[in-house]
Amino acid sequence: MKNSVRENHDKRTCWCNIRLTEKEHEALFGKLKDTTYNKLSDYLRSIIFNKPVNVKVRNQSLDEFMNELIGLRQELNYLGNNFNQVVKKLNSIPPSREYLTWLGVSEDLQRQLLSKIGIIQVRIDQFSDKWLQS
């Protein structure tokens, strides 16, 4: 019986309505989007009762890192696909002049792939150094 009384006491049954202009409404929801709250009522209760409001923070270096990784991944996929095609071609033909041509192409693609892997390693090292300093 005590639990049901306590539940009724904690249940929100009162309403508080306000009118806003369109501009105010947009500003309010703009601020809500910058927080960790999913519901406007939770956000407003925090503000009204002077509770801390958790604001989302964008990490600029992480955004840059993600953009860099996306570009490098695309380049690696391109080089990896080309390298796989060359290796398949090499495996399908007997040693000949064509074989030697494809072998040269294979070696060139392998160098490009290793170069990109080196660039990725350098960028990862740079970002990790940057994060460790802060």
Side-chain angles (χ1 to χ4, degrees):
M1 186 103 173
K2 282 188 176 182
N3 286 342
S4 64
V5 171
R6 180 173 282 178
E7 287 175 12
N8 287 337
H9 179 68
D10 291 342
K11 191 171 183 180
R12 292 183 174 97
T13 57
C14 299
W15 284 79
C16 179
N17 297 321
I18 62 168
R19 292 185 182 272
L20 301 172
T21 65
E22 190 68 33
K23 192 174 184 179
E24 292 169 332
H25 186 263
E26 288 174 9
L28 179 62
F29 275 89
K31 288 184 177 188
L32 174 66
K33 287 180 185 176
D34 292 338
T35 69
T36 57
Y37 293 101
N38 292 326
K39 296 180 182 177
L40 179 62
S41 58
D42 293 336
Y43 172 61
L44 291 174
R45 268 192 295 278
S46 292
I47 292 172
I48 291 168
F49 298 116
N50 296 321
K51 294 181 180 176
V53 175
N54 296 324
V55 180
K56 297 177 190 173
V57 178
R58 297 280 314 204
N59 185 336
Q60 186 65 31
S61 64
L62 183 58
D63 290 345
E64 292 170 6
F65 179 66
M66 291 305 294
N67 287 334
E68 185 85 20
L69 280 182
I70 289 168
L72 290 171
R73 181 177 55 191
Q74 290 171 343
E75 289 182 47
L76 282 175
N77 284 338
Y78 173 76
L79 289 170
N81 287 338
N82 285 349
F83 189 67
N84 284 339
Q85 290 173 359
V86 168
V87 169
K88 283 181 184 177
K89 183 70 173 177
L90 277 172
N91 289 330
S92 70
I93 56 176
S96 65
R97 181 177 286 178
E98 184 182 11
Y99 179 82
L100 294 175
T101 302
W102 281 106
L103 188 60
V105 171
S106 165
E107 290 170 349
D108 184 47
L109 283 173
Q110 184 181 19
R111 277 191 295 278
Q112 288 179 29
L113 200 53
L114 291 174
S115 171
K116 282 295 171 193
I117 291 170
I119 291 170
I120 290 170
Q121 184 62 48
V122 167
R123 292 299 289 157
I124 289 172
D125 290 344
Q126 288 172 347
F127 277 107
S128 67
D129 289 345
K130 191 175 188 180
W131 283 335
L132 290 175
Q133 289 175 355
S134 41

